[in-house]
Structures are given as C-alpha cells and as structure tokens.
Amino acid sequence: MAVIGASVPPPFTRRMLKPVELEIELFCLGIRVDPSVHNGDGRPIGRTRAGLGSGLEIVLLGGRKKIWMNVPVVEAFARKSPFILRQSAMNDPGIAMIVDERTGISYPADIPPEPKWYSHPTSSDVPMSRIGVLQGNYLGIYVGSRCAYWAKKDSLACRFCTTGENVGTAEEARKSVEDVVEVARAARDESGCVFTHFNTGYHYEDRSDLESAHGLRRCEPFVRAVRRHVGGFIGVQAVPVLPSFFYEYDALIEAGTDHFSFCYEFENAEVFNEICPGKARTVGQHAFFDAMEYTAKKLGRGRVSGEIIAGIEPIADTKRGIDRIVDAGAFPTVCIFRPTIGSGMEHVPSPDPEAMKEVFAYLHESCRRARLPVGVLPIEVSLVVQPDETAELVAPNLASSWYGLRNRALRLMARPYVAWKCRPALA
C-alpha cells in the first residue's frame, strides 16, 4: 500500500497529462483498481453525507503540489475507465501507478492509509468514523437528523444526493457535541486536520413559521465546542435562511465560524427546479445569493463559497454561475457531477472531461479577474478540483503569473495566522 511521502515520484513529462488534467479525467472517467493494489489498507470507501465521497482517496504526485482527490471506483462508468491503478512496477511500497491504457503512460500516486482513529470508539462507544470522515485533509461532519426533503413520500430531495440513505446507516443519525469534539481532536492530533466542516440538510427547527426552516441553529453548539476545545478553521453549510433571520449567521460567526458555503447547485433555473425540487419550493435560487452576499460582507471576500455542479446544465450556464458567485463576493467551488449509486441520477452519464477542463479554465480566469485569494490556507478538499489547482489549464501570461505569485506570497504570510487559528480558544 502506498504511504504518503514514502518516496520521490518521477517527474511529469510533456507527453503526460498535467496533474489537473489527470484529476479532471479521473473525476469524469473513474478508475479500475488492479488486484496488485491492496485497497483494503487505504481509507474506506464511505457512503456518508451526500454520498460524493463514495470513491477511493488518492493523492496525485509530480506537480507543483500534491492533489488530493476522491476518485470514483464503484460506479458503473468507472468499471469501463481507461485508467487502472496498479502497484509500482518497481514494487516500491511507497508509490502506486495510475496507468492510462489509451497511451500506456503511467502517473505516480499515493493512497493515504486509513487513519487509526477511525476505529477508535468515542467515550459514548461510537466508532469515530461514524461521526466524521476525512475527505482530503479536512474533516466532514453531518449534524442533525435526516434532511427533511427526504421525509415526504413524494420526495423533494435533490436528485443527485443520497443523504437520506446514508444518515442513520453509514453514519450516526444523532451526533453528540462531546463525540464531535473527540473526533475533531483526533483528526487534528493524528491526521493534521486544520478544517472541520459541518453540513446539514433542511430542517423545520420545530417552528410554526416554515419560512424560517433551516439547519443553522443545529450547527451552532458544535461550532462553539470545536472552537473552544479543538481550534482550527470551521465551516458551515446549510440551506440559507431568509433575510429576516440573517442574525443567525451573526451568531454563528460569534461562535467561531470562519467559512460559509452555499450549495445552489445549478445556475440554469429550469435545471435547478427539476433536480433540486425541495430547494426550489422552500427557499428559491435567489436565497442562496442573498445569504452569500450577506456573509461575504461579514467575513470578507474569499471566506464564503458558492457551490455548483458542472456536467449537467449547459457549460455557458455554469460559467455564468461562476461569475455570479464571484460577483457576490464569494469564491466558486465547482463539483464535477458524479452519478452516485443509489441516487435518482445514478444512470445519468458522467461528464465529458474536455468540457470540464473548459469549465475549470474559466474558473481560474474568473478568480484571477476578481483577485480572489485561492490556495492560501493549507486545506485540501478531495471532492472537488480546487481553484488553485486550475492554473495549468490556461496559457501562462503576465497576469496569471502575477496572480500565482501573489497567492503563494499570501500563503507564506498566512502561516502565523494558521498557527494561531489552530489553537483552541481555551489555550
């Protein structure tokens, strides 16, 4: 089994795909795993949260940075992939190879091992992996009960999501604050995690006024406890509230939230209404941008994200969505559509890699034009192509070189701030 940093991989050559191109192709085409790779020693393939982490965690090597990704392996399209993961030809225990059978070219990769703390019980005797999972080097935790969009016989759930199938089966339906703190501390101490991300579905919050239904209030005690006892950066993702309840974002910021993300999924209104019927019926597309703009003004540009899915709606719509997110003062997080097993879109074809490369080249240019700081914090998210990974998709010029230099300088300057943030408030 490959171990992170065990040996130095061979350099990339001009005939090879660039690391970000390889990442995009793997997201779109998946990978087959050869029996020579002892996959059981890696991180388990988890069906938690929305189900997007249902692949194999790998790290692509050889570029300017290590690229973490969660590559599809179990979906039907992955079984037809031209890529196959094999043990290194030199039988090097530190390196696995991704072989592109179309060209015969091999690419080096690491397979991070399963964290030892995954199997440790919390003080309430719950396996820690049923509380939170690492996706890249960040800890993802779903809080609250099953999303209310799944509650009706005529489901209003987003068609690509499997949260309603996972919460209560692959992960605990109810997570205590104490258990979450223990898991966040273990992830920090044993896996070097610096970012805890809480997400939740749509909830009524036991209020009579359904216009206020959301999950924000469920996150606050967890945010406050992790800030107090663990430290690090803390993010929250929930269905947005209406402007009359924006004070709840203020309360979460006071509790210690550093980042908000808003999954509005699709820019095309017809696609949004069809694939996200619950969101369309209860809050509407505009609510995501109202909340995005408000929180971006509170936290600052680059500390709020708008999340969309590429590969379903026309590319022109996705590009327009990227610009709309940037104009709201947020940075775009673009997820390549994955036809997750068990979802309502399980049999929809995965996207064309070349189209996705065009989307992410546009993402880079949009962030550069807005001078958004990307790649500043040492947070690697394996579920998406991160904005700082997209630079190699555009032809180098003075503007892009200056933008890259600026972001690298900000990353260096941020190190003392990162060290300070990683201290618990009680320290």
Side-chain angles (χ1 to χ4, degrees):
M1 174 52 56
V3 179
I4 294 293
S7 57
V8 178
F12 276 76
T13 67
R14 290 184 179 180
R15 293 184 58 240
M16 302 170 79
L17 293 168
K18 296 174 182 177
V20 67
E21 293 176 325
L22 177 61
E23 179 185 19
I24 291 170
E25 295 214 3
L26 288 170
F27 270 127
C28 294
L29 303 176
I31 198 168
R32 293 171 288 129
V33 181
D34 188 80
S36 65
V37 178
H38 301 291
N39 187 28
D41 294 335
R43 292 185 185 177
I45 295 174
R47 294 201 165 276
T48 60
R49 308 166 81 204
L52 294 180
S54 59
L56 177 66
E57 293 275 317
I58 66 173
V59 182
L60 305 181
L61 307 173
R64 289 182 297 182
K65 60 168 285 190
K66 295 179 178 179
I67 295 180
W68 291 75
M69 71 171 299
N70 185 281
V71 60
V73 294
V74 297
E75 288 79 10
F77 72 92
R79 294 196 291 271
K80 303 175 184 178
S81 173
F83 294 103
I84 184 167
L85 185 68
R86 293 196 175 112
Q87 187 61 47
S88 169
M90 300 298 293
N91 201 30
D92 185 339
I95 297 292
M97 302 303 295
I98 297 170
V99 181
D100 185 346
E101 294 188 331
R102 299 168 300 185
T103 62
I105 295 177
S106 298
Y107 300 86
D110 277 338
I111 305 176
E114 177 180 346
K116 293 181 179 179
W117 57 266
Y118 265 26
S119 59
H120 294 172
T122 66
S123 56
S124 61
D125 204 31
V126 177
M128 287 190 170
S129 61
R130 288 183 61 84
I131 301 297
V133 293
L134 288 176
Q135 290 169 331
N137 70 353
Y138 95 108
L139 179 67
I141 302 176
Y142 183 94
V143 295
S145 56
R146 191 173 74 157
C147 175
Y149 292 147
W150 289 79
K152 299 181 182 295
K153 291 183 180 179
D154 181 19
S155 175
L156 296 176
C158 297
R159 305 303 186 214
F160 54 83
C161 179
T162 59
T163 297
E165 303 293 338
N166 300 332
V167 176
T169 54
E171 61 181 296
E172 292 300 290
R174 301 281 183 175
K175 301 175 177 72
S176 71
V177 171
E178 293 76 15
D179 282 352
V180 166
V181 167
E182 290 179 26
V183 170
R185 185 181 291 118
R188 179 199 67 188
D189 294 345
E190 299 182 34
S191 300
C193 175
V194 300
F195 183 46
T196 303
H197 186 251
F198 295 108
N199 73 300
T200 187
Y202 181 78
H203 301 286
Y204 292 123
E205 302 291 0
D206 299 320
R207 297 178 180 179
S208 59
D209 179 6
L210 296 186
E211 287 188 346
S212 66
H214 56 86
L216 277 179
R217 295 201 307 176
R218 294 172 182 248
C219 297
E220 185 177 341
F222 297 96
V223 170
R224 196 174 296 278
V226 170
R227 170 63 61 226
R228 183 175 177 83
H229 299 287
V230 181
F233 296 89
I234 301 174
V236 169
Q237 179 188 104
V239 176
V241 298
L242 299 182
S244 57
F245 296 95
F246 277 0
Y247 63 85
E248 296 199 5
Y249 291 118
D250 299 339
L252 274 168
I253 293 171
E254 185 277 328
T257 302
D258 302 288
H259 174 263
F260 290 102
S261 54
F262 299 94
C263 296
Y264 91 105
E265 319 297 7
F266 304 102
E267 172 63 21
N268 184 293
E270 292 183 3
V271 175
F272 176 82
N273 292 340
E274 178 185 354
I275 299 181
C276 305
K279 290 180 177 179
R281 187 177 302 182
T282 57
V283 296
Q285 200 178 51
H286 66 89
F288 291 84
F289 286 90
D290 292 341
M292 210 181 297
E293 291 174 357
Y294 180 83
T295 52
K297 289 178 181 177
K298 287 286 184 176
L299 289 175
R301 292 175 61 83
R303 297 182 65 179
V304 171
S305 64
E307 303 197 6
I308 55 176
I309 298 172
I312 297 297
E313 64 184 359
I315 288 178
D317 291 329
T318 303
K319 290 179 178 179
R320 189 167 60 252
I322 288 171
D323 287 336
R324 191 177 175 193
I325 291 168
V326 170
D327 290 343
F331 70 87
T333 301
V334 181
C335 177
I336 294 176
F337 168 69
R338 181 181 303 198
T340 307
I341 293 175
S343 74
M345 300 180 72
E346 176 179 349
H347 300 295
V348 175
S350 57
D352 171 46
E354 295 307 312
M356 294 301 96
K357 292 174 189 176
E358 181 179 339
V359 167
F360 285 101
Y362 190 86
L363 170 65
H364 174 81
E365 295 287 15
S366 186
C367 290
R368 180 190 59 77
R369 286 193 296 268
R371 302 183 66 191
L372 287 177
V374 299
V376 173
L377 299 179
I379 300 170
E380 305 295 341
V381 183
S382 63
L383 303 184
V384 298
V385 179
Q386 298 192 152
D388 63 305
E389 296 164 359
T390 61
E392 291 183 314
L393 293 172
V394 300
N397 55 44
L398 183 60
S400 62
S401 297
W402 174 253
Y403 181 57
L405 179 63
R406 175 178 175 268
N407 285 329
R408 288 192 292 274
L410 289 173
R411 188 181 180 99
L412 289 173
M413 293 170 60
R415 286 180 178 176
Y417 173 68
V418 172
W420 174 74
K421 285 292 293 185
C422 286
R423 298 175 58 191
L426 282 176

